[in-house]
Amino acid sequence: MTTRQPAPPVPKATDRKTISLLAFSATSGVLVEFYDFFIFGYAAASAFPHTFFPNISPTWALIFSYLTFGAGFPARLLGAYLFGHFGDRAGRKTSFLINILIVGATTFMVGLLPGYETIGIAAPILLVTLRIVQGIGLGGEFGGAASLLAEFGATRQHRAFWVSLANLGIPGGAMAASAVLYVLADSFSTGGWRIAMLLSVVVVVPGLLARFKLADSPLFEQLKAKDELSKMPSLDVTRKHWRPILLLALFCAFQQMDGYVSGTYAISFMKSAGIPLATTAVIIFIARIGDVLGVVISGPAADFMTRKKLGYIAVILTAVLSVPYALAILHQQVWLVLGLQFVITLTGVGILHGLAPILTSESFPTKYRYSGAGISYSLSAILGGGIAPPLLAGLIGQDVAGNWFYIPVVYGIYAVIAVAALALTPETRNRRLDEFAETGDGQAGAGSKVACGAPT
């Protein structure tokens, strides 16, 4: 008769001061990097078509501009592999520090890049190159923030709340970018976008200082001390945990799609519908408050109704509201657009922004957490943000009155896929991260699939 081994003692929870400082450091860095990312997106929607693609039709110029923007998404996946490898091998802090330097430097260089009229075909080529490098740097961001907060908060009672804050910097960066877009609205599409990108230097410095104070998590240090780190974590997690990577990517693709359709493609859609750029900037800025609110409430809500139920509600509600949202834009009902944009940003972006780091960090063992979380989320960015905006630009073109229905069609397709993927994803609310070990078949160990005891 086999004697059952007693469960390992629950590690002491990280004190509130330490995890609060960690959350601030992670959030401030994410804010900096996504400020740069969204400014690039706003420029792609309004300035890049005539600056870098002036000799083709407006529709194709916009498509190529969005494809340039989309080039950052596969680059983010490459960055997730690279930084995930070093994050799971050398430590979270080093990778977390380097990626912010890369994003800040490339954004500054884009602000100085001459247009097509000055250097010809070299201009769009250099633009795509810088965008790819920027995406590589950004690809290391999510995995680092999610794994650090999950591992420091592994045994805290409200773990989901702290982990959800990994993405709080995204709406913060979007709000900062929207505010700059509003201030520079009159000149943004000509030369104001350059000023916005050059300002990234100002906001990178505080993020760097905050990250210097970070330390690696106790769970990672335990693995390192036992010499149990993977030699090739990014490749190993893809081979052993491909199923959760794929399912999480398909689910998170809905949030990526909604974020980049309502926050980036909507700029050109509203412009074609007759809504001024300054008004659009105000709408997007106010809606980002809903994004922040959604992140903040996602953690407590995920504990109250389980992670999966929250995901179902957020996805389905957002998809349904996409119909009146598109019609309100078409008929220039600004106040209705504002209200609907706020709600779909709160549910489809904010709540899912907070849910993404919770699900991804809880779905992989510590030795693969940085890699697994980063790869799955970066893959979702390709499937959602990298495909939807250029697809809609091509389907709708300049005829928003005749082709507006493609917006809810795209929302509906992504919603069906997200719901199906979430249905196949295990619930992780009661998973003990300190006991989460892999088994030979690449799935979570038995102790991680059942309620090992809620975090204490």
Side-chain angles (χ1 to χ4, degrees):
M1 181 176 180
T2 303
T3 303
R4 180 170 180 168
Q5 296 295 323
V10 179
K12 182 180 179 181
T14 304
D15 63 89
R16 181 177 292 273
K17 180 180 179 181
T18 299
I19 199 168
S20 296
L21 288 174
L22 173 63
F24 172 78
S25 299
T27 299
S28 63
V30 174
L31 186 152
V32 169
E33 297 193 70
F34 275 89
Y35 165 82
D36 294 349
F37 202 76
F38 279 107
I39 283 295
F40 196 106
Y42 296 158
S46 59
F48 288 173
H50 60 264
T51 302
F52 295 99
F53 308 100
N55 296 332
I56 56 179
S57 69
T59 296
W60 277 106
L62 184 63
I63 292 173
F64 277 114
S65 186
Y66 277 127
L67 288 174
T68 301
F69 177 69
F73 293 104
R76 283 172 65 175
L77 182 58
L78 175 59
Y81 271 93
L82 291 175
F83 285 102
H85 172 82
F86 292 109
D88 282 330
R89 280 291 302 169
R92 281 69 164 114
K93 177 180 178 178
T94 302
S95 293
F96 212 37
L97 192 60
I98 294 174
N99 58 49
I100 193 175
L101 284 170
I102 293 176
V103 175
T106 52
T107 304
F108 183 81
M109 294 172 68
V110 170
L112 298 175
L113 184 63
Y116 186 91
E117 298 295 336
T118 303
I119 59 174
I121 192 65
I125 292 175
L126 288 173
L127 179 67
V128 172
T129 301
L130 288 171
R131 175 60 171 172
I132 291 173
V133 176
Q134 184 197 50
I136 290 173
L138 193 64
E141 184 61 41
F142 180 84
S147 58
L148 277 167
L149 284 167
E151 290 165 10
F152 271 100
T155 54
R156 291 195 64 88
Q157 182 177 2
H158 302 294
R159 181 179 72 198
F161 168 75
W162 293 105
V163 180
S164 70
L165 299 183
N167 265 350
L168 186 60
I170 297 181
M175 290 177 69
S178 299
V180 171
L181 176 64
Y182 175 74
V183 172
L184 301 174
D186 292 338
S187 62
F188 189 86
S189 61
T190 52
W193 63 274
R194 295 186 182 275
I195 298 174
M197 290 192 170
L198 296 177
L199 285 174
S200 64
V201 172
V202 178
V203 291
V204 160
V205 174
L208 276 173
L209 294 176
R211 294 201 172 179
F212 270 118
K213 299 180 180 181
L214 291 178
D216 278 315
S217 75
L219 295 184
F220 176 81
E221 292 293 350
Q222 289 173 15
L223 282 182
K224 188 175 182 181
K226 296 176 182 178
D227 196 24
E228 295 181 353
L229 300 176
S230 170
K231 292 183 179 180
M232 300 294 291
S234 293
L235 298 180
D236 287 344
V237 74
T238 304
R239 178 171 55 87
K240 297 180 180 181
H241 297 268
W242 62 269
R243 180 182 172 89
I245 287 176
L246 179 60
L247 292 176
L248 290 168
L250 291 172
F251 170 68
C252 293
F254 182 89
Q255 174 256 300
Q256 301 278 6
M257 177 278 300
D258 184 28
Y260 290 106
V261 169
S262 65
T264 300
Y265 173 73
I267 295 174
S268 54
F269 186 78
M270 291 183 191
K271 180 180 178 181
S272 297
I275 298 177
L277 181 60
T279 303
T280 301
V282 173
I283 291 172
I284 293 175
F285 178 82
I286 295 176
R288 289 301 176 183
I289 300 174
D291 194 352
V292 173
L293 180 62
V295 172
V296 172
I297 68 176
S298 63
D303 278 333
F304 176 74
M305 64 175 67
T306 77
R307 279 74 161 134
K308 294 178 66 170
K309 286 183 181 178
L310 179 63
Y312 291 137
I313 293 172
V315 168
I316 294 172
L317 179 59
T318 304
V320 170
L321 290 177
S322 67
V323 177
Y325 170 66
L327 287 172
I329 295 175
L330 185 64
H331 294 96
Q332 301 180 36
Q333 297 173 299
V334 174
W335 287 106
L336 183 57
V337 173
L338 175 60
L340 289 170
Q341 176 113 359
F342 185 90
V343 176
I344 67 173
T345 302
L346 185 150
T347 57
V349 184
I351 287 178
L352 297 183
H353 259 157
L355 193 56
I358 298 171
L359 282 174
T360 54
S361 65
E362 294 176 345
S363 296
F364 301 98
T366 300
K367 66 192 300 182
Y368 302 131
R369 186 163 290 122
Y370 197 128
S371 303
I375 292 170
S376 58
Y377 198 63
S378 295
L379 180 58
S380 76
I382 298 175
L383 299 175
I387 294 177
L391 176 64
L392 285 172
L395 291 173
I396 296 176
Q398 304 298 310
D399 185 16
V400 294
N403 298 323
W404 66 270
F405 60 88
Y406 282 115
I407 289 181
V409 167
V410 168
Y411 271 84
I413 292 173
Y414 273 88
V416 170
I417 295 173
V419 168
L422 188 59
L424 297 173
T425 300
E427 175 61 49
T428 60
R429 181 173 63 169
N430 293 322
R431 179 168 286 169
R432 278 266 303 271
L433 300 188
D434 55 302
E435 291 183 354
F436 188 10
E438 64 173 340
T439 58
D441 62 358
Q443 299 298 321
S448 66
K449 282 188 175 182
V450 298
C452 304
T456 57

